[in-house]
Amino acid sequence: PTAGTTRDVVSLTLELGGLPVVVSDTAGLRAETADEIERQGMARAAKEAARAHLQLWVYDALAPPQSAEQLEAALASARAGAEQEPQQAEPQKLLLLNKVDLLPEGTASASAFFAADRQWGVSCLTGEGVQDFLTSLAEIVKRQYGADEREPALVTRARHVQHLTACVKALDAFVELAQLGDGAPLDIATEELRTAVNELGKITGRV
Protein backbone atom coordinates (compact mmCIF):
# COMPACT_ATOMS: atom_id res chain seq x y z
CA PRO A 1 0.00 0.00 0.00
CA THR A 2 1.10 3.55 -0.68
CA ALA A 3 0.42 5.94 2.18
CA GLY A 4 -2.11 8.64 1.32
CA THR A 5 -3.15 6.97 -1.94
CA THR A 6 -6.80 6.05 -2.52
CA ARG A 7 -7.61 3.37 -5.08
CA ASP A 8 -11.14 2.21 -4.30
CA VAL A 9 -14.45 4.03 -4.66
CA VAL A 10 -16.41 4.27 -1.40
CA SER A 11 -20.17 4.74 -1.79
CA LEU A 12 -23.04 5.29 0.61
CA THR A 13 -26.69 6.29 0.30
CA LEU A 14 -27.96 9.53 1.84
CA GLU A 15 -31.36 11.18 1.82
CA LEU A 16 -31.15 14.60 0.20
CA GLY A 17 -34.19 16.65 -0.68
CA GLY A 18 -36.37 13.69 0.27
CA LEU A 19 -34.68 11.46 -2.30
CA PRO A 20 -32.20 8.58 -1.85
CA VAL A 21 -28.88 9.71 -3.29
CA VAL A 22 -25.80 7.55 -3.81
CA VAL A 23 -22.67 9.52 -2.90
CA SER A 24 -19.31 8.13 -4.04
CA ASP A 25 -15.93 9.21 -2.71
CA THR A 26 -13.15 8.62 -5.23
CA ALA A 27 -9.44 9.09 -5.58
CA GLY A 28 -8.26 12.60 -6.31
CA LEU A 29 -7.46 13.53 -9.91
CA ARG A 30 -4.43 15.28 -11.31
CA ALA A 31 -3.13 15.99 -14.81
CA GLU A 32 -0.43 13.30 -14.58
CA THR A 33 1.10 10.78 -12.19
CA ALA A 34 3.82 8.16 -12.35
CA ASP A 35 2.37 6.12 -9.49
CA GLU A 36 0.64 2.95 -10.73
CA ILE A 37 -1.64 2.67 -7.67
CA GLU A 38 -2.71 6.28 -8.10
CA ARG A 39 -3.40 5.68 -11.81
CA GLN A 40 -5.71 2.80 -10.91
CA GLY A 41 -7.57 5.00 -8.44
CA MET A 42 -7.89 7.80 -10.99
CA ALA A 43 -9.23 5.40 -13.63
CA ARG A 44 -11.91 4.19 -11.24
CA ALA A 45 -12.70 7.78 -10.29
CA ALA A 46 -13.16 8.73 -13.96
CA LYS A 47 -15.47 5.76 -14.51
CA GLU A 48 -17.57 6.73 -11.49
CA ALA A 49 -17.63 10.40 -12.55
CA ALA A 50 -18.95 9.42 -15.99
CA ARG A 51 -21.94 7.72 -14.34
CA ALA A 52 -22.78 10.63 -12.02
CA HIS A 53 -25.64 13.08 -12.35
CA LEU A 54 -23.74 15.59 -10.22
CA GLN A 55 -19.98 15.90 -9.81
CA LEU A 56 -18.71 17.54 -6.62
CA TRP A 57 -15.15 18.78 -7.09
CA VAL A 58 -13.29 19.37 -3.82
CA TYR A 59 -10.40 21.85 -3.85
CA ASP A 60 -8.23 23.54 -1.26
CA ALA A 61 -9.70 26.97 -0.53
CA LEU A 62 -6.19 28.41 -0.83
CA ALA A 63 -5.94 27.22 -4.46
CA PRO A 64 -9.36 27.17 -6.17
CA PRO A 65 -9.57 26.20 -9.85
CA GLN A 66 -9.66 29.12 -12.23
CA SER A 67 -10.22 27.45 -15.60
CA ALA A 68 -12.09 24.57 -17.23
CA GLU A 69 -8.74 23.25 -18.46
CA GLN A 70 -7.71 22.34 -14.91
CA LEU A 71 -10.68 20.01 -14.53
CA GLU A 72 -10.54 18.64 -18.07
CA ALA A 73 -6.81 17.86 -17.87
CA ALA A 74 -7.38 15.85 -14.70
CA LEU A 75 -10.35 13.98 -16.20
CA ALA A 76 -8.49 13.30 -19.46
CA SER A 77 -5.56 11.79 -17.60
CA ALA A 78 -7.87 9.58 -15.55
CA ARG A 79 -9.93 8.49 -18.57
CA ALA A 80 -6.78 7.27 -20.32
CA GLY A 81 -6.69 4.25 -18.01
CA ALA A 82 -10.40 3.72 -17.58
CA GLU A 83 -12.83 1.49 -19.42
CA GLN A 84 -15.16 3.52 -21.61
CA GLU A 85 -18.60 4.05 -20.09
CA PRO A 86 -21.75 4.55 -22.20
CA GLN A 87 -22.24 8.23 -22.93
CA GLN A 88 -24.52 9.92 -20.40
CA ALA A 89 -25.82 13.46 -20.26
CA GLU A 90 -23.13 15.92 -19.20
CA PRO A 91 -23.15 15.94 -15.38
CA GLN A 92 -23.48 19.22 -13.54
CA LYS A 93 -20.25 20.24 -11.80
CA LEU A 94 -20.29 21.72 -8.30
CA LEU A 95 -17.33 23.07 -6.35
CA LEU A 96 -16.55 22.63 -2.67
CA LEU A 97 -13.66 24.70 -1.29
CA ASN A 98 -12.37 23.08 1.88
CA LYS A 99 -10.11 24.47 4.63
CA VAL A 100 -11.61 27.97 4.69
CA ASP A 101 -10.39 28.10 8.29
CA LEU A 102 -6.86 28.52 6.89
CA LEU A 103 -7.73 31.65 4.90
CA PRO A 104 -6.44 34.96 6.21
CA GLU A 105 -9.04 36.67 8.38
CA GLY A 106 -11.51 38.74 6.40
CA THR A 107 -10.81 37.04 3.06
CA ALA A 108 -12.92 34.60 1.02
CA SER A 109 -12.14 31.97 -1.59
CA ALA A 110 -13.95 31.61 -4.91
CA SER A 111 -13.48 30.31 -8.44
CA ALA A 112 -14.37 32.42 -11.45
CA PHE A 113 -15.03 29.20 -13.36
CA PHE A 114 -18.04 28.23 -11.20
CA ALA A 115 -21.24 30.21 -10.73
CA ALA A 116 -21.65 31.71 -7.27
CA ASP A 117 -24.59 29.40 -6.47
CA ARG A 118 -22.60 26.34 -7.53
CA GLN A 119 -19.68 26.72 -5.14
CA TRP A 120 -19.37 26.70 -1.37
CA GLY A 121 -16.64 27.30 1.16
CA VAL A 122 -16.44 24.91 4.10
CA SER A 123 -14.13 23.71 6.82
CA CYS A 124 -14.31 20.00 7.54
CA LEU A 125 -12.20 20.71 10.63
CA THR A 126 -14.44 23.32 12.26
CA GLY A 127 -17.73 22.58 10.49
CA GLU A 128 -17.99 26.10 9.10
CA GLY A 129 -20.28 26.28 6.06
CA VAL A 130 -21.07 22.55 6.06
CA GLN A 131 -24.76 22.86 6.93
CA ASP A 132 -25.30 25.63 4.37
CA PHE A 133 -23.69 23.44 1.72
CA LEU A 134 -25.82 20.39 2.59
CA THR A 135 -28.99 22.49 2.54
CA SER A 136 -28.10 23.91 -0.88
CA LEU A 137 -27.19 20.48 -2.24
CA ALA A 138 -30.50 19.04 -1.05
CA GLU A 139 -32.36 21.86 -2.81
CA ILE A 140 -30.48 21.20 -6.06
CA VAL A 141 -31.28 17.48 -5.90
CA LYS A 142 -34.93 18.11 -5.09
CA ARG A 143 -35.34 20.75 -7.81
CA GLN A 144 -33.64 18.78 -10.58
CA TYR A 145 -34.57 15.19 -9.79
CA GLY A 146 -37.58 15.31 -7.52
CA ALA A 147 -41.23 15.13 -8.59
CA ASP A 148 -44.38 16.64 -7.15
CA GLU A 149 -47.93 15.32 -7.48
CA ARG A 150 -48.27 16.96 -10.90
CA GLU A 151 -45.12 15.45 -12.40
CA PRO A 152 -44.15 11.86 -13.20
CA ALA A 153 -40.99 10.43 -11.65
CA LEU A 154 -37.87 11.25 -13.65
CA VAL A 155 -35.94 8.25 -15.04
CA THR A 156 -32.62 9.34 -16.53
CA ARG A 157 -30.73 6.09 -17.18
CA ALA A 158 -31.40 3.88 -20.23
CA ARG A 159 -30.64 0.80 -18.14
CA HIS A 160 -33.26 1.81 -15.56
CA VAL A 161 -35.84 2.30 -18.31
CA GLN A 162 -35.15 -1.22 -19.58
CA HIS A 163 -35.58 -2.78 -16.13
CA LEU A 164 -38.72 -0.77 -15.36
CA THR A 165 -40.23 -1.73 -18.73
CA ALA A 166 -39.55 -5.41 -18.02
CA CYS A 167 -41.05 -5.01 -14.54
CA VAL A 168 -44.27 -3.48 -15.91
CA LYS A 169 -44.51 -6.20 -18.55
CA ALA A 170 -44.25 -8.91 -15.89
CA LEU A 171 -46.86 -7.19 -13.70
CA ASP A 172 -49.25 -6.87 -16.67
CA ALA A 173 -48.83 -10.60 -17.33
CA PHE A 174 -49.55 -11.33 -13.67
CA VAL A 175 -52.76 -9.24 -13.76
CA GLU A 176 -53.97 -11.11 -16.84
CA LEU A 177 -53.36 -14.44 -15.11
CA ALA A 178 -55.02 -13.27 -11.89
CA GLN A 179 -58.16 -12.41 -13.86
CA LEU A 180 -58.54 -16.09 -14.67
CA GLY A 181 -59.60 -16.65 -11.07
CA ASP A 182 -59.37 -20.20 -9.70
CA GLY A 183 -58.16 -21.45 -13.09
CA ALA A 184 -55.03 -19.30 -13.02
CA PRO A 185 -51.74 -21.26 -13.17
CA LEU A 186 -50.20 -20.28 -9.84
CA ASP A 187 -46.67 -21.33 -10.80
CA ILE A 188 -46.63 -19.05 -13.85
CA ALA A 189 -48.28 -16.17 -11.95
CA THR A 190 -45.70 -16.50 -9.18
CA GLU A 191 -42.87 -16.48 -11.71
CA GLU A 192 -44.18 -13.22 -13.21
CA LEU A 193 -44.15 -11.59 -9.76
CA ARG A 194 -40.62 -12.89 -9.15
CA THR A 195 -39.51 -11.43 -12.47
CA ALA A 196 -40.99 -8.02 -11.57
CA VAL A 197 -39.22 -7.99 -8.21
CA ASN A 198 -35.91 -9.05 -9.76
CA GLU A 199 -36.09 -6.27 -12.35
CA LEU A 200 -36.61 -3.66 -9.61
CA GLY A 201 -33.78 -5.24 -7.64
CA LYS A 202 -31.41 -4.67 -10.55
CA ILE A 203 -32.02 -0.94 -10.07
CA THR A 204 -32.08 -0.71 -6.27
CA GLY A 205 -29.49 -3.39 -5.59
CA ARG A 206 -31.94 -5.16 -3.28
CA VAL A 207 -34.40 -7.99 -3.81
Side-chain angles (χ1 to χ4, degrees):
T2 304
T5 300
T6 301
R7 180 174 57 183
D8 296 323
V9 176
V10 179
S11 299
L12 56 84
T13 300
L14 302 176
E15 182 176 308
L16 292 173
L19 298 170
V21 176
V22 177
V23 179
S24 297
D25 181 28
T26 72
L29 302 179
R30 64 180 74 201
E32 57 183 56
T33 178
D35 187 282
E36 177 59 29
I37 299 299
E38 188 172 20
R39 275 201 297 266
Q40 292 181 32
M42 287 171 57
R44 294 178 184 179
K47 183 177 181 180
E48 194 70 17
R51 300 170 52 200
H53 293 93
L54 296 172
Q55 293 177 358
L56 181 62
W57 291 74
V58 183
Y59 270 77
D60 191 317
L62 295 172
Q66 297 300 334
S67 70
E69 287 72 19
Q70 284 182 262
L71 276 61
E72 290 306 319
L75 275 174
S77 176
R79 289 191 192 110
E83 296 180 7
Q84 294 298 313
E85 284 286 303
Q87 184 65 40
Q88 304 284 353
E90 180 68 21
Q92 181 177 167
K93 294 179 175 64
L94 310 175
L95 177 64
L96 194 63
L97 297 168
N98 188 28
K99 303 181 183 178
V100 295
D101 55 292
L102 299 181
L103 293 172
E105 187 174 353
T107 64
S109 179
S111 170
F113 173 57
F114 286 82
D117 62 349
R118 290 296 181 268
Q119 58 180 304
W120 300 266
V122 302
S123 170
C124 290
L125 179 63
T126 67
E128 179 183 350
V130 171
Q131 188 56 56
D132 287 342
F133 160 66
L134 291 176
T135 299
S136 297
L137 182 59
E139 285 299 320
I140 291 173
V141 169
K142 182 178 180 180
R143 183 168 59 251
Q144 294 191 197
Y145 305 107
D148 59 28
E149 294 179 355
R150 296 167 296 176
E151 298 177 333
L154 178 64
V155 181
T156 60
R157 296 287 176 83
R159 181 175 65 85
H160 291 179
V161 172
Q162 293 173 357
H163 291 313
L164 289 173
T165 300
C167 175
V168 171
K169 182 178 179 180
L171 289 175
D172 285 343
F174 171 78
V175 170
E176 289 184 8
L177 292 171
Q179 290 174 345
L180 298 176
D182 293 339
L186 294 180
D187 54 339
I188 298 178
T190 301
E191 186 59 33
E192 295 295 351
L193 282 180
R194 183 178 295 112
T195 297
V197 170
N198 286 339
E199 292 296 335
L200 285 180
K202 292 174 182 177
I203 297 174
T204 64
R206 299 178 181 178
V207 176

